[in-house]
Amino acid sequence: MAVHTVKQVMESIRKRESKPSEWVERALERIERLDGRIGAFLALDEQALAKARALDERAPDHPLFGVPYALKDNICTEGLRTTAASRILANYVPPYSATVARKLAETGAVLVGKTNLDEFAMGSSTENSAFQKTRNPFDLERVPGGSSGGSAAAVAAGMVPFALGSDTGGSIRQPAAFCGVVGLKPTYGRVSRYGLIAFASSLDQIGPFTRTVEDAAWVLNAICGHDPLDSTSAPLPAEDFTQGLDAGVQGLRIGVVTDIDTTGLDPEVKRAVDAAVAALARAGAEVVEVSLPHCQYAVATYYLIAPAEASSNLARYDGVRYGLRVETDSLVETYERTRSEGFGTEVKRRIIIGTYALSSGYYDAYYKRAQQMRTLIRQDFEAAFARCDVIVTPTAPTTAFRLGEKIDNPLQMYLNDLYTIPANLAGLPGISVPCGLSSQGLPIGLQILAKAFDERTLLRVARAYEQVRGFELPVPDVEGAAR
Amino acid sequence: MVRISEDTVRQVAKLARLAVSDEEAQRLAPQLDEILSYAEQLQEVDLKGVAPTSHPFPLFNVLREDEPRKSFPREVMLANAPDTDGEQVRVPAVLEG
Amino acid sequence: MNFETVIGLEVHVELKTKTKIFCGCETTFGAPPNTNVCPVCMGHPGTLPVLNRQAVELALRAALALNCRINQDCKFDRKNYFYPDLPKGYQISQYDQPIGEDGYVEIEVGGERKRIGIVRVHLEEDAGKSMHAPDGSHSLVDYNRTGVPLIEIVSKPDIRSPEEARLYLETIRSIMQYCDVSDCKMEEGSLRCDANISLRPVGQAAFGEKTELKNINSFRFVQKALEYEVERQTAILRSGGKVVQETRRFDEATQTTVSMRTKEEAHDYRYFPEPDLVRLHIDDEWLARVRATVPELPLAKRDRYMRELNLPAYDAGVLTSDPGVAAYFEQVVAAGADPKAASNWVMSDLLGYLNANNLSVADSPVRPAQLAGLIAEVDKGTISIKQAREVFKAMCETGKDAPVLIKELGMEQISDEAALLGIVDEVIANNPKSVADYQGGKEKALGALVGQIMKATKGKANPAVVNKLLLERLGKPGGNA
């Protein structure tokens, strides 16, 4: 069965060649057929088809009208269980919806289900889900990346035309690279975080997974904008990110980072990224060398700031007002048992690191230094962007690794995020676009970064690359791969 | 050089209201030590006089007007609570006095 | 050895906003449990705080009234600790950049002014309320109060006696009420107080070991609890013992303080900047605008009443103890009444009536202009003071103006000399003995004649006019007509 882009679905509905319910049925059928092997979804919205049928009667009034989609299960949906893939929220039914979910509902897009993730978005493989493993549609023995692995796999396998994820240190871009789809992390503040179950508040950002760059622009149009419920949301007017997408790269300067750490970089990934840079140059871009001297400290900085914020953000899971409670006679014991049984190993590990980094006597040495380093990393980017319009790097140093390969070595897992983390620390927009397949048939991602709030240039370059890259990304043969 | 002992793990876990078994403490201590040792890199850099960044962008004064919005019905707000008396959330006795 | 008492107070004041500090839930006191709540103040996953502008302005006004230096660039921080009534597992507060720092208030102790330093004033959110089952089996939590805006006012250890502590607390309350920042109702918890107290040998600079007294819930108890602590610590030190640093609470039944015996657990609040809120920048224009809303404060007002209105210190003190009373008094004066007369009426009759009926001055059935009208009738001589008291009572009951009631009660005084002269002559004629006594030098005999005239006129005769007429007829006492 053919796999469709957001744009194809949109146009078909707009031209009244098809109805929303047909697309939702198709999505549900494909999920039914494939998801037993992939494990992308934690839950389906039983109302999806009914909602789509109600739309069938209406005239399409928005580009995303009738387009089925999925949400990472750390985005709250009123009346629909939202778990963050944690036992502690296994039965949590939010009394409200996230701003992005509300916005998408208003456009007429149809939510079909909630996707798997690393518990509380902490991880790079989706193996930290308390409920299930998600497999890479290109190779079922491999991880889809993470933490938004479910959303990436769902789009890669053609189960939905788009899905939303969240990106704190690469959690959209890295799984997009591993699964061969487009993954966009907008500028911090571009998309409201209201209703996104917080991991690290100063780094978290919601963004789309799509099959094409243009699709990403359509989804960003629908979810961006100032939200009075999120104090950190940027007070900017809505923009149309599909405008100027096809302007090409003639006259743009592409920054290549000279001092990036390449110790763990897979040669095949390096070759693909070099080829992508060459393709952009051929298309008319000027390639310039830039330096990001403090990015070598990005992972260390990130692994202090993110756990510190997380240790506080996750304090609310105490078994009092919602979520799991392991009842004992004593309050303190109830807290301790609830949290110990409710959280998985990686979450506990990060809570302990973060608590340590904030505790008295260590704050200045750890948290404060990390915040200072964050300033230097931001300044590095400011200097680099004075010389170029976008920066390109690999999204991840390797292609998708095997299930279980890194689960026992947290530091190795963290180091996998070294190319994606700097954009979160600096709040910049970044995108991963497929730039080839490895000899094993695994997707490779090209990361493009731009100045804050310059998603237009980011998307323009990504789109230009997509057109000159010279290959069609295959739809993974999930059923074949299982044979 | 950091040295995270099992005792440190237990103390910090206590602050974070996590119960850790001896086994867990034993496993976590070297892992945390490795991660924090990696973070020691930051000590190499001279950061004197560098302002800390707690937000990517310097927004300020995001304020709302003092206008009431309807509260949520009690039954909705208590629906997720593990234990209530119908009006209030019930918890094991809070020790005092 | 003699000891000096050193006290510092931490006062929490709930701000008078319509809605909570970070969400739109209302702050009404006494609502049924868990009805003023929403996902934000109940700390649901994914929710975010948005700061209430009015809370900032009230905190700013309070800090200015307490003579603080304003941190025009400040931020919020998270104070992390676990408690069932703290939904997020942290309290949003201000740590190293409070909105106000380094201020002071003046109190009056035994007629002398004394300055008590303020370390800081910061803005934060209140927690919910836990009720503990009497049998100790469980606690119940109500989140209505969660997220009500608070300021914490931390004094320097400048307070030297329990009485000063009470006076300081009363002064803080009065300033907050004047600024319309808070109701400061201790019984409703909108004003709460913790105290740190230590003793040191007179002349020693270093502080002694302190104890912290928690949640003292009335002005009287603040002084009582501290007095008890002074005695307790003195006894310990006199007997060569050591004061243990601990948290204690006041037991109302025994009028003593008791150790709270909390498990010795190091508090490590792990403060860090709140990433869900942005910085606060109070520019000069905003600051000036709020500064203009700080009203004349009680002590300044009191000085002015004494200086400009020639009121005795006692009157000025009573009238300025409550901003509503002061405002009422000023309106009576503005309506033309003599300040001292207005003061007498407000302090005795008005406050007496309001207190007896448990009313606040805002609920007074007699408006300031009406009271001024009553005072004018006395000044004109239409009625006597004694009658005016009766009229005032009637005004309280009916809300009618004084002239109307004077008519209704038939109280107009007779001041017409021609009308009174006949009665005066008649009384002189009928009381020769009194006349003779008076003329013989007994000045007091005149009173008897006045009494007879008043009796004959049913009390309506204007005593001043009667006096004048009698003197005209009888001449000076002891002299002969």
Side-chain angles (χ1 to χ4, degrees):
Chain A
M1 198 204 297
V3 160
H4 295 84
T5 63
V6 171
K7 192 178 186 196
Q8 288 165 339
V9 177
M10 249 165 61
E11 291 197 333
S12 165
I13 291 175
R14 185 170 54 80
K15 291 181 189 153
R16 306 285 182 113
E17 292 164 1
S18 60
K19 292 178 168 179
S21 62
E22 293 170 41
W23 292 106
V24 170
E25 268 169 26
R26 240 180 230 252
L28 292 171
E29 274 166 30
R30 198 159 167 93
I31 293 166
E32 170 76 29
R33 198 148 55 81
L34 301 182
D35 206 41
R37 294 193 173 87
I38 306 279
F41 283 87
L42 287 176
L44 297 179
D45 184 354
E46 286 165 12
Q47 308 291 310
L49 202 51
K51 283 181 190 162
R53 288 198 177 116
L55 294 178
D56 287 353
E57 312 303 320
R58 279 174 42 194
D61 54 2
H62 187 279
L64 295 184
F65 187 89
V67 181
Y69 75 98
L71 283 177
K72 185 178 181 179
D73 203 29
N74 60 352
I75 297 173
C76 287
T77 42
E78 183 182 344
L80 188 62
R81 208 154 48 113
T82 302
T83 66
S86 181
R87 261 194 304 279
I88 212 155
L89 285 179
N91 293 309
Y92 176 65
V93 181
Y96 78 103
S97 282
T99 297
V100 290
R102 254 193 325 101
K103 282 184 174 241
L104 286 172
E106 280 163 18
T107 69
V110 183
L111 176 69
V112 296
K114 308 288 295 278
T115 60
N116 198 21
L117 63 149
D118 285 300
E119 183 178 2
F120 285 103
M122 296 180 190
S124 309
S125 67
T126 312
E127 292 168 292
N128 295 330
S129 166
F131 305 122
Q132 68 195 37
K133 291 210 182 346
T134 297
R135 292 163 188 276
N136 192 313
F138 283 85
D139 180 344
L140 300 182
E141 295 310 309
R142 291 180 186 267
V143 301
S147 65
S148 314
S151 285
V155 173
M159 296 190 266
V160 280
F162 79 94
L164 296 190
S166 65
D167 189 316
T168 307
S171 281
I172 291 174
R173 290 158 290 160
Q174 184 256 26
F178 281 15
C179 291
V181 294
V182 172
L184 169 66
K185 177 201 104 72
T187 310
Y188 183 84
R190 176 67 89 181
V191 177
S192 168
R193 294 185 293 117
Y194 190 76
L196 170 66
I197 297 182
F199 161 14
S201 311
S202 75
L203 304 165
D204 295 341
Q205 187 64 190
I206 294 174
F209 289 93
T210 53
R211 305 194 71 79
T212 68
V213 173
E214 186 184 348
D215 282 4
W218 283 111
V219 178
L220 183 60
N221 277 357
I223 62 173
C224 75
H226 176 69
D227 182 3
L229 299 177
D230 175 0
S231 308
T232 63
S233 116
L236 294 173
E239 268 186 68
D240 181 356
F241 295 99
T242 62
Q243 292 294 307
L245 261 188
D246 289 318
V249 288
Q250 189 79 46
L252 289 183
R253 293 161 305 166
I254 311 283
V256 174
V257 188
T258 51
D259 45 5
I260 202 163
D261 182 0
T262 55
T263 24
L265 182 59
D266 180 333
E268 280 198 286
V269 173
K270 184 178 186 320
R271 265 202 301 282
V273 170
D274 288 347
V277 172
L280 283 167
R282 276 198 304 281
E286 182 193 344
V287 176
V288 298
E289 294 191 335
V290 295
S291 165
L292 297 170
H294 295 96
C295 279
Q296 57 174 310
Y297 302 109
V299 175
T301 302
Y302 176 86
Y303 277 97
L304 292 172
I305 291 175
E309 291 183 9
S311 71
S312 175
N313 282 333
L314 271 60
R316 68 187 63 197
Y317 307 105
D318 57 6
V320 173
R321 296 158 309 283
Y322 45 76
L324 176 76
R325 180 191 292 185
V326 180
E327 189 93 38
T328 72
D329 290 342
S330 124
L331 180 70
V332 171
E333 209 183 321
T334 300
Y335 279 152
E336 293 184 346
R337 295 274 309 273
T338 297
R339 291 167 60 78
S340 293
E341 291 175 34
F343 292 137
T345 308
E346 179 61 23
V347 172
K348 283 189 259 190
R349 192 152 45 217
R350 295 201 196 186
I351 289 175
I352 292 176
I353 295 173
T355 305
Y356 182 82
L358 288 176
S359 62
S360 70
Y362 297 102
Y363 181 89
D364 284 356
Y366 290 112
Y367 190 74
K368 190 173 168 211
R369 283 191 88 79
Q371 298 264 53
Q372 290 174 306
M373 183 53 80
R374 202 173 169 182
T375 304
L376 296 183
I377 290 169
R378 244 182 48 205
Q379 290 170 353
D380 280 1
F381 276 108
E382 274 164 31
F385 280 123
R387 308 190 51 233
C388 64
D389 299 293
V390 295
I391 291 172
V392 298
T393 74
T395 305
T398 65
T399 53
F401 45 86
R402 292 185 178 281
L403 285 158
E405 190 180 321
K406 298 192 179 180
I407 198 76
D408 292 324
N409 192 334
L411 186 58
Q412 278 313 305
M413 189 77 99
Y414 299 170
L415 288 170
N416 201 253
D417 300 334
L418 86 163
Y419 299 136
T420 46
I421 279 173
N424 297 85
L425 292 172
L428 305 176
I431 194 167
S432 179
V433 188
C435 69
L437 286 181
S438 71
S439 50
Q440 288 173 292
L442 296 172
I444 299 169
L446 173 73
Q447 175 177 243
I448 310 172
L449 305 174
K451 290 177 207 134
F453 301 106
D454 194 12
E455 280 88 349
R456 273 168 181 277
T457 306
L458 183 77
L459 292 163
R460 177 178 154 194
V461 174
R463 165 78 166 165
Y465 170 68
E466 201 176 43
Q467 292 188 322
V468 298
R469 72 184 165 195
F471 66 90
E472 266 304 309
L473 204 83
V475 176
D477 179 9
V478 176
E479 286 160 302
R483 257 174 238 133
Chain B
M1 204 58 231
V2 214
R3 273 279 79 110
I4 301 291
S5 67
E6 288 166 40
D7 264 354
T8 311
V9 170
R10 271 188 285 265
Q11 275 165 24
V12 176
K14 187 92 198 160
L15 259 183
R17 293 285 185 270
L18 291 168
V20 287
S21 62
D22 291 349
E23 211 181 327
E24 271 181 302
Q26 216 168 52
R27 194 162 40 78
L28 281 166
Q31 285 177 347
L32 298 181
D33 190 67
E34 191 189 4
I35 293 162
L36 287 164
S37 298
Y38 178 78
E40 284 291 288
Q41 295 176 50
L42 299 189
Q43 312 300 327
E44 303 164 2
V45 189
D46 182 13
L47 292 167
K48 217 171 286 150
V50 178
T53 292
S54 47
H55 266 288
F57 308 109
L59 276 178
F60 55 87
N61 293 1
V62 177
L63 299 159
R64 42 169 269 277
E65 298 310 313
D66 186 24
E67 285 155 9
R69 286 203 338 169
K70 235 172 118 64
S71 288
F72 278 51
R74 176 162 63 199
E75 62 273 20
V76 171
M77 291 315 299
L78 295 186
N80 278 290
D83 190 12
T84 76
D85 71 348
E87 294 186 343
Q88 304 194 65
V89 175
R90 185 159 31 212
V91 292
V94 178
L95 288 176
E96 236 177 340
Chain C
M1 197 188 291
N2 283 324
F3 296 101
E4 182 183 38
T5 305
V6 177
I7 298 170
L9 293 190
E10 288 171 18
V11 181
H12 283 95
V13 174
E14 279 187 355
L15 300 179
K16 229 165 136 180
T17 52
K18 291 206 259 317
T19 66
K20 293 185 178 184
I21 184 167
F22 297 125
C23 66
C25 288
E26 294 193 56
T27 53
T28 39
F29 179 81
N34 294 309
T35 53
N36 287 345
V37 291
C38 75
V40 176
C41 56
M42 289 263 293
H44 272 247
T47 57
L48 298 170
V50 185
L51 183 59
N52 182 338
R53 178 191 300 277
Q54 182 67 4
V56 175
E57 299 210 348
L58 293 181
L60 196 52
R61 196 191 294 165
L64 287 168
L66 298 172
N67 304 296
C68 285
R69 173 168 53 73
I70 301 302
N71 278 320
Q72 288 181 256
D73 251 303
C74 63
K75 65 176 168 71
F76 288 86
D77 301 277
R78 291 186 183 177
K79 178 181 182 180
N80 294 284
Y81 66 95
F82 288 88
Y83 207 78
D85 62 19
L86 188 71
K88 300 185 291 293
Y90 54 83
Q91 178 191 30
I92 302 179
S93 180
Q94 294 189 294
Y95 180 51
D96 53 343
Q97 295 168 9
I99 195 161
E101 278 184 285
D102 203 19
Y104 64 87
V105 292
E106 283 192 321
I107 62 170
E108 203 163 75
V109 193
E112 303 252 317
R113 299 271 159 103
K114 178 175 176 178
R115 202 175 260 208
I116 307 290
I118 304 281
V119 179
R120 56 187 279 149
V121 173
H122 71 250
L123 186 54
E124 62 186 21
E125 57 180 337
D126 207 345
K129 263 189 208 158
S130 307
M131 294 222 320
H132 312 298
D135 65 356
S137 61
H138 65 272
S139 301
L140 292 171
V141 194
D142 170 12
Y143 294 97
N144 281 347
R145 202 179 66 182
T146 307
V148 169
L150 283 182
I151 50 171
E152 182 175 332
I153 304 165
V154 182
S155 86
K156 291 185 180 152
D158 289 348
I159 300 167
R160 289 291 171 270
S161 73
E163 188 202 5
E164 279 184 30
R166 178 180 52 79
L167 290 167
Y168 167 81
L169 193 59
E170 283 171 357
T171 306
I172 293 285
R173 173 179 62 173
S174 161
I175 292 173
M176 294 302 121
Q177 288 176 336
Y178 263 77
C179 292
D180 207 21
V181 154
S182 173
D183 307 335
C184 290
K185 293 184 180 163
M186 270 191 124
E187 66 282 8
E188 291 183 5
S190 61
L191 176 75
R192 304 197 287 273
C193 174
D194 301 335
N196 289 310
I197 173 166
S198 63
L199 301 187
R200 63 181 170 191
V202 171
Q204 178 185 303
F207 294 127
E209 200 69 56
K210 68 180 181 189
T211 56
E212 187 182 5
L213 299 179
K214 280 273 187 202
N215 294 325
I216 315 166
N217 60 12
S218 86
F219 288 89
R220 214 155 47 83
F221 291 162
V222 169
Q223 187 167 346
K224 286 230 181 241
L226 288 167
E227 279 165 356
Y228 179 82
E229 247 334 85
V230 172
E231 273 176 43
R232 192 185 69 87
Q233 293 190 13
T234 306
I236 292 173
L237 294 172
R238 285 255 158 82
S239 66
K242 275 189 166 172
V243 174
V244 182
Q245 184 166 350
E246 64 178 348
T247 303
R248 301 176 69 85
R249 65 177 173 81
F250 184 65
D251 187 274
E252 291 169 27
T254 61
Q255 302 275 300
T256 62
T257 66
V258 288
S259 173
M260 285 172 78
R261 288 190 306 272
T262 41
K263 254 191 271 173
E264 216 24 80
E265 199 180 312
H267 281 294
D268 187 343
Y269 291 124
R270 290 160 283 135
Y271 282 100
F272 74 104
E274 165 57 282
D276 288 331
L277 290 171
V278 300
R279 294 187 68 88
L280 197 54
H281 177 68
I282 300 155
D283 62 18
D284 294 344
E285 189 263 317
W286 191 6
L287 187 60
R289 201 153 39 76
V290 176
R291 200 185 289 279
T293 67
V294 178
E296 182 183 31
L297 294 177
L299 222 48
K301 198 182 271 292
R302 197 172 138 187
D303 288 345
R304 183 170 61 83
Y305 284 6
M306 290 166 68
R307 201 177 56 241
E308 290 177 9
L309 304 178
N310 287 317
L311 291 185
Y314 175 78
D315 290 35
V318 172
L319 293 173
T320 55
S321 65
D322 177 288
V325 173
Y328 188 101
F329 164 75
E330 288 180 22
Q331 286 173 51
V332 177
V333 173
D338 168 65
K340 180 58 187 156
S343 165
N344 290 346
W345 277 100
V346 170
M347 288 198 306
S348 56
D349 299 85
L350 178 74
L351 290 181
Y353 175 82
L354 294 176
N355 289 341
N357 291 282
N358 214 0
L359 293 174
S360 83
V361 71
D363 307 322
S364 168
V366 179
R367 281 174 287 111
Q370 289 180 296
L371 179 55
L374 176 63
I375 294 170
E377 295 299 331
V378 178
D379 285 349
K380 272 192 284 179
T382 320
I383 50 173
S384 67
I385 283 284
K386 204 172 143 221
Q387 289 173 312
R389 294 232 149 85
E390 263 177 67
V391 174
F392 181 80
K393 276 193 193 119
M395 288 170 81
C396 288
E397 277 150 30
T398 63
K400 289 181 186 170
D401 286 346
V404 175
L405 286 167
I406 289 167
K407 270 209 187 85
E408 282 183 14
L409 296 168
M411 276 184 184
E412 292 127 307
Q413 278 189 349
I414 306 168
S415 303
D416 180 1
E417 293 187 16
L420 288 173
L421 206 54
I423 302 167
V424 169
D425 286 341
E426 202 182 311
V427 168
I428 288 173
N430 292 341
N431 293 280
K433 184 170 183 309
S434 296
V435 172
D437 285 351
Y438 176 76
Q439 288 173 336
K442 281 190 185 167
E443 214 175 317
K444 280 185 183 162
L446 195 70
L449 295 172
V450 172
Q452 289 297 319
I453 294 165
M454 296 308 281
K455 197 174 166 190
T457 58
K458 294 186 176 126
K460 290 186 193 173
N462 181 331
V465 177
V466 168
N467 261 310
K468 176 171 167 273
L469 292 175
L470 277 171
L471 287 177
E472 277 173 18
R473 282 286 192 258
L474 301 177
K476 292 197 177 105
N480 284 313

